[in-house]
Amino acid sequence: MYKVLLVDPNRRSREETDQLLDWKRLGFDIRAYADDASEALALLASEQVSLVLISLKAAHADGMRTCEHIRQKSTVPIILIGGSDDFHMVRRALAFQVSDYIAEPVQAADVTASLLWVKKQLDDASPLQLSLKALPKRAPEMSIIDIVKQYVQEQLNQNITLKKISALLHFNCAYLGQKFKDHENMSFNEYLLQQRMEKAKLLLEQTDMRIYEIASEVGYTEIDWFYKKFKAYTGASANEYRKQSSITA
């Protein structure tokens, strides 16, 4: 079930959208509501939202501004509903890379078609997204940075990039990178290297795993690259580090 954020300041309009069709039958659930761009961005930062619906019924300009602000920080799919069929309005919406623009009168069949298209895109997303979706369910209070950090811990032996994580979380990569750096006082790549090297040190100290096995366990497919990174990080080769650890143990 994909979680939907509905941005609409009008309560009656919200109810009409809720009752327009059987959302859950199509695999979507409207579980979050926002009145404006600031509320929408706050929810996107704290919750795992798969689709944003922005109503243009009350105020076209406000709705388009909300769309613009979201696009500055997130790539989450957006469907605009209830707008006019003015060519310039539609062209502006398309510039924000929205999934669809449904003009008045809004028909259930049109919304259904859009939802099915978006669902296919979401279903076809990388299987790695399943890990990311599971994290907020286990701990609803987790911030977006906590989610990124836990994902790194669980996928440390995989090819991890901030660009991939940003896409899966529907965040702008540059924005998420800056947010991470502000929160952790280090870049995402520095954090990723730190976590890989610290785990490698632990495995060298506490296991009899071969060096190439440890390299693979922390996400390195090329053993020479692992050796280079490990020595730069610790000042010793992996073999030297293991010997030193056994002496001091």
Side-chain angles (χ1 to χ4, degrees), residues 32-51:
Y33 300 88
D35 288 338
D36 52 34
S38 60
E39 287 186 12
L41 289 172
L43 285 167
L44 285 173
S46 63
E47 300 187 29
Q48 185 67 30
V49 173
S50 298
L51 171 66

Side-chain angles (χ1 to χ4, degrees), residues 37 54 56 59-70 92 96:
I54 300 178
L56 301 178
H60 285 62
D62 289 345
M64 294 301 288
R65 273 195 295 270
T66 297
C67 183
E68 182 178 8
H69 289 158
I70 290 174
R92 186 180 176 200
F96 295 137

Side-chain angles (χ1 to χ4, degrees), residues 57-113:
K57 296 177 183 178
H60 285 62
D62 289 345
M64 294 301 288
R65 273 195 295 270
T66 297
C67 183
E68 182 178 8
H69 289 158
I70 290 174
R71 268 296 167 263
Q72 289 173 354
K73 297 183 178 180
S74 173
T75 60
V76 64
I78 297 174
I79 295 178
L80 300 176
I81 58 175
S84 72
D85 58 2
D86 177 77
F87 171 76
H88 296 291
M89 182 71 70
V90 175
R91 187 171 66 176
R92 186 180 176 200
L94 292 176
F96 295 137
Q97 298 180 321
V98 298
S99 297
D100 204 353
Y101 180 102
I102 302 174
E104 288 279 36
V106 177
Q107 302 294 325
D110 294 333
V111 179
T112 297

Side-chain angles (χ1 to χ4, degrees), residues 193 196-197 212 215-216 218-223 225-226 229:
L193 176 66
R196 282 178 162 158
M197 293 298 103
Y212 75 87
S216 177
V218 297
Y220 289 90
T221 56
E222 296 183 15
I223 187 67
W225 188 239
F226 169 74
K229 287 293 185 181

Side-chain angles (χ1 to χ4, degrees), residues 55-214:
S55 174
L56 301 178
K57 296 177 183 178
H60 285 62
D62 289 345
M64 294 301 288
R65 273 195 295 270
T66 297
C67 183
E68 182 178 8
H69 289 158
I70 290 174
R71 268 296 167 263
Q72 289 173 354
K73 297 183 178 180
S74 173
T75 60
V76 64
I78 297 174
I79 295 178
L80 300 176
I81 58 175
S84 72
D85 58 2
D86 177 77
F87 171 76
H88 296 291
M89 182 71 70
V90 175
R91 187 171 66 176
R92 186 180 176 200
L94 292 176
F96 295 137
Q97 298 180 321
V98 298
S99 297
D100 204 353
Y101 180 102
I102 302 174
E104 288 279 36
V106 177
Q107 302 294 325
D110 294 333
V111 179
T112 297
S114 291
L115 291 175
L116 290 176
W117 186 85
V118 170
K119 186 175 186 298
K120 184 178 186 308
Q121 306 307 307
L122 294 171
D123 289 344
D124 291 343
S126 167
L128 291 177
Q129 192 165 9
L130 296 175
S131 259
L132 290 164
K133 287 180 182 177
L135 298 181
K137 290 178 182 176
R138 291 203 301 268
E141 74 282 359
M142 292 175 71
S143 71
I144 191 67
I145 301 303
D146 291 328
I147 292 172
V148 171
K149 289 168 64 178
Q150 188 161 339
Y151 176 78
V152 167
Q153 296 301 320
E154 295 187 0
Q155 303 290 329
L156 203 56
N157 64 335
Q158 301 295 321
N159 177 28
I160 301 174
T161 66
L162 185 61
K163 184 177 181 180
K164 181 186 294 185
I165 294 175
S166 300
L168 296 176
L169 287 172
H170 305 303
F171 268 81
N172 176 278
C173 186
Y175 170 74
L176 185 57
Q178 188 59 54
K179 188 177 180 69
F180 189 95
K181 189 171 185 178
D182 291 343
H183 190 276
E184 296 296 313
N185 293 319
M186 67 175 73
S187 71
F188 173 79
N189 286 336
E190 289 172 333
Y191 174 80
L192 179 59
L193 176 66
Q194 178 194 72
Q195 297 307 302
R196 282 178 162 158
M197 293 298 103
E198 290 301 321
K199 183 171 182 179
K201 286 167 58 178
L202 192 65
L203 293 174
L204 286 166
E205 294 168 6
Q206 300 182 1
T207 76
D208 294 325
M209 292 174 65
R210 300 187 177 215
I211 305 298
Y212 75 87
E213 293 175 325
I214 292 175

